[in-house]
């Protein structure tokens, strides 16, 4: 892997074009198998499959390799306090678009994570690209910590102190990968029409717990 500066701690995100992980049709095959497998799609989320258990990764060569490459790129950037959380496989289409609701409004996530979103089709402005604002993610740490347990109901994590022009649409071709800290304001773009599609894999990494008791139990299972 080439040396790539992600600068996530200062900019909040980094988009990398040019299919740096050399993805091809094999990842698409694995994607469809996972997307259509009840084991992963039975999760209450629309148009979404999820791999929760890292052990399942060995069944999917290309996905496993991609996960390793992404993780090592993040760790090479001195974000080494992170570990596997889960992987989402999502097909966003017009019918799930709700303009005034999360994740289609500017927000940060309640649980802070490092995420890597890989586009598996060419995503133009009509396909609902990820939008991100270039800011220091730590600016929003106090705001995040003060979110109430029922924040979701009132969409309390909506970001209101930025203008819509402060966000850039991250268009990209197949293989484009966006690394981001979920503390950087972001939203999913409008999905314009019935031909629009945003097919993605999202690798989610959590910050390792500083709590020794929690760590003890996590290591048991
Ligand atoms: Fe989010």
């Amino acid at each position: 892997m080439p040396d790539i500066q992600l600068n996530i701690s200062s900019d909040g995100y980094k988009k990398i074009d040019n299919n740096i992980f050399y993805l091809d049709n094999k990842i698409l095959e694995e994607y469809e198998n996972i997307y259509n497998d009840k084991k992963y799609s039975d999760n209450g989320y629309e148009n979404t499959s999820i791999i929760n258990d890292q052990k399942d990764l060995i069944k999917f060569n290309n996905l496993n390799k991609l996960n390793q490459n992404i993780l090592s790129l993040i760790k090479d950037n001195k974000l080494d306090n992170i570990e596997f959380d889960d992987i989402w496989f999502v097909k966003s289409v017009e019918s799930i678009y709700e303009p005034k609701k999360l994740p289609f409004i500017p927000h940060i996530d309640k649980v802070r994570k490092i995420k890597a979103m890989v586009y598996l089709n060419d995503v133009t402005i009509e396909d609902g690209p990820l939008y991100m604002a270039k800011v220091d993610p730590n600016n929003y740490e106090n705001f995040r910590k003060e979110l109430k347990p029922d924040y979701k109901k009132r969409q309390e994590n909506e970001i209101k102190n930025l203008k819509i022009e402060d966000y850039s649409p991250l268009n990209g071709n197949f293989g484009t990968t966006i690394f981001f800290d979920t503390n950087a304001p972001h939203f999913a773009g409008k999905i314009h029409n019935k031909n629009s599609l945003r097919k993605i894999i999202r690798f989610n990494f959590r910050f390792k717990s500083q709590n020794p008791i929690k760590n003890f139990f996590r290591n048991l299972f």
Side-chain angles (χ1 to χ4, degrees), residues 107 109 115 186:
H107 69 278
D109 296 4
K115 298 185 175 179
H186 60 277

Side-chain angles (χ1 to χ4, degrees), residues 102-103 105 107-110 115 130 157 180 182 184 186-188 202:
L102 291 166
I105 56 170
H107 69 278
I108 62 166
D109 296 4
K110 169 133 169 69
K115 298 185 175 179
L130 180 65
N157 57 333
F180 65 107
T182 60
H186 60 277
F187 63 96
R202 203 182 58 232

Side-chain angles (χ1 to χ4, degrees), residues 152-197:
K152 223 172 210 167
K153 240 183 5 213
R154 288 170 292 108
Q155 305 200 131
E156 199 193 344
N157 57 333
E158 179 176 1
I159 297 297
K160 295 176 175 164
N161 72 338
L162 295 177
K163 297 191 289 283
I164 215 72
E165 304 85 69
D166 294 328
Y167 295 84
S168 309
L170 304 184
N171 302 340
N173 291 337
F174 172 88
T176 295
T177 304
I178 300 149
F179 294 84
F180 65 107
D181 180 330
T182 60
N183 249 38
H186 60 277
F187 63 96
K190 179 182 178 182
I191 303 163
H192 283 244
N193 56 60
K194 65 175 180 5
N195 297 319
S196 302
L197 172 67

Side-chain angles (χ1 to χ4, degrees), residues 9-104:
S9 49
S10 55
D11 295 347
Y13 76 92
K14 174 83 174 183
K15 179 177 76 145
I16 303 175
D17 297 297
N18 304 325
N19 190 10
I20 52 157
F21 300 115
Y22 303 106
L23 303 179
D24 58 21
N25 280 336
K26 285 179 276 179
I27 194 87
L28 290 172
E29 268 172 44
E30 291 182 356
Y31 181 97
E32 290 303 326
N33 288 338
I34 295 162
Y35 190 83
N36 294 312
D37 189 333
K38 266 212 155 59
K39 179 177 178 193
Y40 306 116
S41 63
D42 218 357
N43 54 45
Y45 292 95
E46 269 182 310
N47 292 26
T48 300
S49 284
I50 302 174
I51 289 184
N52 289 303
D53 189 344
Q54 208 168 353
K55 288 192 207 90
D56 286 339
L57 276 178
I58 49 167
K59 299 178 208 160
F60 306 100
N61 263 329
N62 296 270
L63 182 71
N64 194 20
K65 189 134 187 259
L66 180 56
N67 181 63
Q68 284 169 8
N69 283 337
I70 283 177
L71 186 59
S72 62
L73 181 50
I74 295 173
K75 290 194 168 182
D76 284 349
N77 276 266
K78 302 202 170 55
L79 288 158
D80 38 23
N81 186 33
I82 56 157
E83 61 191 353
F84 178 90
D85 190 19
D86 54 16
I87 307 177
W88 289 46
F89 306 80
V90 187
K91 287 184 189 176
S92 298
V93 291
E94 190 191 18
S95 60
I96 65 167
Y97 177 61
E98 293 188 79
K100 295 218 158 51
K101 284 198 175 163
L102 291 166
F104 301 103

